[in-house]
């Protein structure tokens, strides 16, 4: 490995498997995503020793589970908590994990003890609020608010690239208060690849914080969970591999901790050190069984999806976006929330409009269950869920001019959105059962099919042995069914010598099946939204070239993209980015001195900055000329071929 390659974080490296994903068919695209996700479990050279089945990773998973178990058994959430924190996708996955396990604890008469923190607060669950992730001070403040008066906290900070200042600030605070906190870092780069860039208004870097955490880990007071998954299918898009691994690793930690509640022995009840080690080894084996279950999900989901015609759904989605239409997700409970998450990731990842891909869930904010509740300030009474009265639907439509991107209820879809459905729109329903459909979903499916020809349901079954009649074809013209055989892995996870039957034997099986179903659903949604935006020209080779410069990481990445694709100096690339960002033909010295935080404030709202910058850096032209060229050639690869006669540029990689 060259010195240059060693400096490039794995999460920011271009994956050789997908260098031509932008010109692949949708069928080929699904196979490429499958091969990329296989690297999660197979390992990736030259870091195969740091794969997800490595002894160190399994050991850390078990040790963190033991710390969580210590909190669960106390049943005192007022004093003790498990906190999941992150930015963007990482924060959303943390929220979903906290929500799921609080519900599980409630079902067994335990008080919920899981908390979540996301940079940008609850709005960031639904829309891009990436600027706050650049502030370690904001991270510390949020952690202090959540953990006020807590005596013991297991803090799990999630930063896929080991780069988010928001999380770095929290980790440092935890290490300054080890009498209360057990800090855990979850990410997917080697420790030495943590971000080294200076953080505005702070004396530390992410790397310096990680180095302190390494010392804490050696002392048994902190943990780093950082398996190397290999590069993302779309360079730097950590919502995919990173989001997938984050989801199942957090679930493994929590499921294993819950499993220990019903174990025949507890660690403190075993006096002999050798017996304690054996007990921990049993927990490590259980972690491995769950990892194998999730591996099976990734292995089987893609082939089944292709046999069910997922590639056709991707083509429908791409056609909808190219025709000026929209893609809508409508789901119940957890599947609906995954639709919300996938939709929320499209604007920051692809520079998409919020309205391009939107998610809705039956029950709205009641189903979401976020701390701040309904985020929409409504100027009119809410429409009941799927009220079949035309005048009320019309009333909702008349108020749609006041529509907010924070509207997530199926009631809003049935009123404001349903009325405007057109032939270019695609509606995707999400469920986990083929035999039981909510009455509201049935009604809405019938309504949508009357207005829209492109309607599909993704059904990721929780129970593959469900023998009840499958009724999906009665309501949906296109059905994609996924059935994953997970029983053998769940049974292995549950087994314990001389163990009596307990509540967890039923609850644990149900939870594990649900999490497997959710992972399948996530993979399908990621494939659809990624494929659709590739077809819209948002990706060049496997690089996101239309990202919004909404934080310092994306601002730097944008400059590197322009530099690499336009084959220019960094100064020329920066100049082009500033011209596109501020719509000017001349970049003054004063503008060059403006803080990055101001550039990202503007970049959060400015569309097509990077495509325009590439044109400006590739050809000597005025800003309005660059915009006209993009209107004529909206696909960047085609535009560059026309302007620069570039047919096969080298694979590029970006520093953090």
């Amino acid at each position: 490995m060259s010195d240059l390659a060693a400096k490039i974080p794995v999460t920011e490296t271009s994956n050789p498997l997908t260098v031509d994903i932008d010109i692949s068919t949708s069928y080929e695209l699904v196979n490429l995503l499958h091969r990329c996700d296989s690297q999660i479990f197979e390992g990736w050279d030259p870091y195969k020793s740091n794969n997800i089945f490595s002894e160190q990773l399994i050991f850390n998973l078990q040790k963190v589970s033991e710390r969580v178990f210590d909190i669960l058994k106390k049943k005192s959430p007022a004093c003790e908590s498990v906190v999941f924190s992150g930015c963007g996708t990482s924060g959303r996955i943390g929220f979903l994990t906290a929500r799921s396990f609080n519900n599980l604890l409630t079902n067994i008469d335990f008080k919920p003890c899981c908390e979540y923190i996301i940079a940008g607060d609850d709005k960031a669950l639904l829309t891009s609020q990436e600027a706050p992730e650049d502030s370690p001070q904001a991270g510390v403040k949020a952690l202090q608010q959540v953990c006020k008066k807590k005596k013991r906290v297991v803090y799990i900070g999630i930063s896929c690239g080991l780069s988010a200042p928001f999380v770095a600030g929290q980790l440092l605070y935890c290490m300054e208060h080890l009498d209360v906190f057990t800090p855990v870092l979850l990410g997917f780069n080697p420790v030495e690849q943590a971000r080294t860039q200076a953080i505005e208004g702070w004396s530390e870097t992410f790397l310096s914080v990680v180095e302190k955490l390494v010392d804490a880990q050696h002392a048994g007071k902190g943990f780093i969970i950082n398996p190397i998954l290999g590069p993302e299918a779309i360079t730097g898009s950590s919502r995919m591999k990173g989001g997938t691994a984050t989801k199942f690793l957090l679930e493994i930690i929590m499921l294993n901790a819950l499993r220990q509640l019903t174990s025949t022995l507890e660690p403190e009840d075993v006096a002999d050190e050798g017996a304690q080690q054996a007990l921990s080894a049993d927990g490590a084996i259980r972690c491995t069984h769950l990892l194998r279950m999730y591996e099976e999900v990734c292995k089987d989901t893609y082939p089944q999806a292709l046999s069910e015609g997922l590639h056709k759904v991707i083509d429908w989605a791409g056609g909808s976006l190219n025709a000026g239409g929209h893609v809508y997700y409508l789901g119940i409970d957890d599947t609906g929330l995954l639709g919300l998450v996938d939709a929320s990731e499209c604007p920051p990842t692809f520079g998409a409009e919020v309205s391009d891909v939107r998610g809705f869930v039956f029950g709205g904010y009641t189903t979401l269950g976020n701390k701040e509740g309904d985020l929409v300030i409504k100027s009119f009474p809410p429409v009941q869920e799927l009220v079949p009265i035309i005048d009320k639907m019309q009333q909702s439509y008349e108020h749609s001019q006041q529509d907010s991107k924070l509207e997530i209820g199926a009631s809003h879809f049935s009123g404001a959105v349903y009325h405007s459905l057109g032939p270019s729109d695609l509606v995707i329903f999400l469920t986990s059962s083929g035999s039981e459909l909510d009455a509201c979903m049935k009604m809405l499916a019938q309504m949508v099919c009357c207005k829209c020809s492109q309607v599909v349901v993704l059904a990721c079954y929780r129970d593959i042995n469900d023998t009840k009649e499958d009724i999906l074809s009665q309501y949906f013209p296109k059905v994609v069914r996924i059935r994953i055989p997970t029983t053998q892995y769940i049974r292995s996870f549950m087994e314990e010598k001389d163990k009596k039957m307990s509540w967890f034997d039923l609850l644990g099986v149900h939870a594990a099946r649900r999490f497997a179903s959710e992972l399948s659903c996530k993979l399908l949604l990621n494939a659809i939204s990624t494929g659709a935006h590739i077809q819209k020209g948002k990706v060049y080779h496997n690089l996101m070239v239309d990202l919004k410069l909404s934080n310092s990481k994306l601002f730097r990445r944008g400059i590197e993209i322009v530099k690499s694709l336009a084959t220019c100096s960094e100064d020329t690339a920066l100049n082009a980015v500033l011209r596109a960002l501020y719509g000017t033909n001349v970049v003054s010295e004063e503008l060059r001195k403006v803080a990055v935080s101001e550039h990202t404030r503007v970049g959060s709202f400015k569309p097509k900055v990077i495509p325009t910058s590439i044109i400006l850096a590739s050809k000597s032209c005025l800003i309005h000329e660059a915009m006209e060229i993009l209107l004529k050639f909206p696909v960047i690869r085609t535009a560059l071929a026309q302007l620069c006669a570039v047919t096969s540029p080298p694979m590029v990689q970006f520093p953090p």
Side-chain angles (χ1 to χ4, degrees):
M1 182 171 57
S2 68
D3 292 340
L4 176 61
K7 295 178 181 178
I8 300 170
V10 175
T11 57
E12 298 292 326
T13 300
S14 175
N15 196 319
L17 290 176
T18 59
V19 71
D20 286 324
I21 196 170
D22 60 331
I23 56 174
S24 300
T25 66
S26 56
Y27 192 97
E28 293 167 339
L29 179 141
V30 175
N31 280 320
L32 288 173
L33 295 181
H34 185 192
R35 291 174 64 190
C36 277
D37 281 352
S38 295
Q39 293 175 331
I40 296 175
F41 303 96
E42 296 171 357
W44 184 72
D45 287 329
Y47 296 101
K48 283 210 169 183
S49 61
N50 288 17
N51 68 73
I52 210 156
F53 290 105
S54 67
E55 289 185 9
Q56 183 63 53
L57 180 112
I58 300 295
F59 176 84
N60 283 353
L61 284 176
Q62 169 58 18
K63 287 301 179 182
V64 175
S65 289
E66 290 176 4
R67 298 297 182 94
V68 172
F69 163 71
D70 288 340
I71 286 178
L72 295 181
K73 69 180 181 180
K74 296 294 184 182
K75 297 186 179 182
S76 55
C79 300
E80 302 181 346
S81 292
V82 181
V83 176
F84 306 99
S85 180
C87 310
T89 297
S90 297
R92 295 174 192 121
I93 298 296
F95 160 74
L96 292 178
T97 305
R99 174 185 176 276
S100 293
F101 283 94
N102 279 340
N103 288 340
L104 282 175
L105 290 169
T106 300
N107 289 339
I108 58 174
D109 295 327
F110 277 61
K111 292 183 179 179
C113 66
C114 297
E115 302 276 359
Y116 70 91
I117 300 172
I118 183 168
D121 301 322
D122 276 5
K123 280 188 177 181
L125 295 173
L126 306 172
T127 64
S128 176
Q129 305 284 324
E130 293 193 355
E133 79 173 58
D134 285 338
S135 173
Q137 295 85 358
V140 171
K141 183 178 179 181
L143 182 62
Q144 289 173 331
Q145 290 175 341
V146 167
C147 298
K148 189 176 182 180
K149 297 183 179 180
K150 302 287 185 183
K151 295 181 179 179
R152 186 161 53 164
V153 175
V154 173
Y155 165 85
I156 303 179
I158 311 157
S159 179
C160 293
L162 308 189
S163 59
F166 185 87
V167 172
Q170 294 174 337
L171 285 168
L172 185 61
Y173 180 83
C174 289
M175 287 185 283
E176 292 170 347
H177 300 84
L178 289 173
D179 56 321
V180 174
F181 293 93
T182 298
V184 181
L185 171 61
L186 175 58
F188 307 109
N189 276 328
V191 166
E192 63 272 16
Q193 290 185 355
R195 182 184 288 182
T196 59
Q197 279 83 0
I199 296 173
E200 197 173 310
W202 208 42
S203 59
E204 301 280 352
T205 66
F206 204 107
L207 178 61
S208 68
V209 172
V210 171
E211 289 171 342
K212 291 180 174 66
L213 185 55
V214 169
D215 293 336
Q217 180 169 256
H218 289 157
K221 297 182 178 180
F223 301 94
I224 300 175
I225 299 173
N226 64 325
I228 308 306
L229 314 177
E232 294 284 359
I234 304 300
T235 307
S237 180
S238 57
R239 79 189 190 109
M240 301 180 76
K241 276 185 179 179
T244 294
T246 296
K247 185 179 188 304
F248 68 67
L249 288 172
L250 294 181
E251 289 165 357
I252 287 172
I253 289 170
M254 296 303 296
L255 279 173
N256 201 27
L258 280 173
R259 176 66 181 78
Q260 291 180 57
L261 286 176
T262 58
S263 177
T264 55
L265 292 174
E266 296 183 1
E268 68 271 23
D269 295 332
V270 182
D272 181 72
E273 183 177 344
Q276 286 184 352
Q277 292 177 352
L279 196 61
S280 292
D282 288 342
I285 291 172
R286 290 197 296 268
C287 289
T288 302
H289 288 314
L290 287 178
L291 281 172
R292 292 298 181 191
M293 180 191 76
Y294 287 112
E295 181 181 25
E296 190 70 19
V297 173
C298 289
K299 177 183 176 182
D300 284 5
T301 294
Y302 290 109
Q304 287 190 34
L306 281 176
S307 67
E308 292 283 311
L310 179 67
H311 53 294
K312 296 179 181 178
V313 179
I314 293 173
D315 286 337
W316 289 352
S320 292
L321 296 186
N322 278 315
H326 313 85
V327 177
Y328 297 112
Y329 300 139
L330 279 156
I332 294 177
D333 200 30
D334 305 291
T335 56
L337 299 186
L338 290 170
L340 293 180
V341 170
D342 188 83
S344 72
E345 294 164 343
C346 293
T349 301
F350 300 108
E353 296 299 323
V354 172
S355 59
D356 288 349
V357 181
R358 290 197 63 177
F360 299 93
V361 61
F362 289 85
Y365 282 98
T366 300
T367 299
L368 185 64
N370 57 310
K371 287 184 288 192
E372 297 176 32
D374 194 331
L375 301 177
V376 181
I377 301 176
K378 297 182 179 179
S379 60
F380 57 97
V383 180
Q384 291 182 353
E385 198 80 21
L386 291 179
V387 176
I389 302 176
I390 299 301
D391 60 344
K392 287 195 175 182
M393 291 177 63
Q394 180 63 30
Q395 179 189 32
S396 177
Y397 174 69
E398 290 170 354
H399 284 281
S400 65
Q401 297 303 315
Q402 304 171 32
D403 180 25
S404 167
K405 57 189 176 183
L406 299 176
E407 291 276 13
I408 63 171
S411 59
H412 179 75
F413 179 89
S414 66
V417 179
Y418 168 78
H419 190 90
S420 61
L421 280 179
S424 298
D425 294 325
L426 168 63
V427 181
I428 300 175
F429 288 82
L430 309 171
T431 184
S432 58
S433 173
S435 58
E436 298 177 4
L437 277 184
D438 183 88
C440 291
M441 179 176 275
K442 291 179 182 178
M443 182 186 300
L444 188 52
Q446 292 172 331
M447 292 166 57
V448 169
C449 287
C450 292
K451 290 204 66 174
C452 187
S453 60
Q454 297 182 145
V455 182
V456 62
V457 61
L458 306 182
C460 299
Y461 289 37
R462 293 181 182 177
D463 185 0
I464 64 169
N465 297 315
D466 187 353
T467 57
K468 297 179 182 178
E469 180 185 3
D470 191 313
I471 62 173
L472 296 179
S473 297
Q474 299 176 24
Y475 296 92
F476 303 99
K478 176 65 178 175
V479 182
V480 176
R481 298 178 179 87
I482 304 295
R483 295 180 173 90
I484 306 297
T486 57
T487 302
Q488 62 173 315
Y489 304 101
I490 297 174
R491 285 177 177 171
S492 298
F493 167 71
M494 302 293 297
E495 284 179 357
E496 181 179 335
K497 186 177 180 181
D498 300 325
K499 178 182 176 295
K500 297 180 180 179
M501 292 290 291
S502 72
W503 52 264
F504 192 75
D505 290 283
L506 179 60
L507 183 68
V509 168
H510 176 77
R513 283 176 175 168
R514 176 161 65 85
F515 294 145
S517 166
E518 289 174 11
L519 184 57
S520 282
C521 184
K522 177 189 180 296
L523 297 178
L524 299 185
L525 293 172
N526 286 171
I528 291 169
S529 56
T530 298
H533 284 98
I534 286 175
Q535 291 187 17
K536 195 178 180 182
K538 297 286 188 176
V539 172
Y540 182 86
H541 284 270
N542 57 6
L543 310 176
M544 302 177 292
V545 294
D546 199 13
L547 65 165
K548 289 188 177 179
L549 309 185
S550 53
N551 60 44
S552 60
K553 177 183 73 175
L554 295 177
F555 183 78
R556 281 192 290 269
R557 183 185 295 165
I559 293 172
E560 287 298 323
I561 288 174
V562 176
K563 175 184 173 183
S564 299
L565 297 185
T567 318
C568 64
S569 67
E570 184 169 339
D571 189 67
T572 299
L574 172 60
N575 192 67
V577 168
L578 293 178
R579 287 178 64 192
L581 195 59
Y582 293 96
T584 181
N585 287 314
V586 179
V587 177
S588 65
E589 193 61 32
E590 289 76 12
L591 184 57
R592 294 177 69 90
K593 293 179 180 179
V594 170
V596 171
S597 57
E598 175 61 19
H599 296 327
T600 59
R601 185 190 67 80
V602 177
S604 297
F605 305 99
K606 188 83 170 182
K608 289 196 172 291
V609 172
I610 298 306
T612 305
S613 301
I614 293 171
I615 302 302
L616 291 171
S618 301
K619 180 181 179 182
S620 179
C621 62
L622 300 176
I623 184 71
H624 76 274
E625 293 174 332
M627 296 172 69
E628 289 173 0
I629 290 171
L630 279 175
L631 285 175
K632 187 175 182 180
F633 301 104
V635 177
I636 303 299
R637 194 165 182 177
T638 303
L640 283 178
Q642 293 291 325
L643 292 170
C644 309
V646 176
T647 57
S648 183
M651 185 172 63
V652 292
Q653 300 173 331
F654 305 122

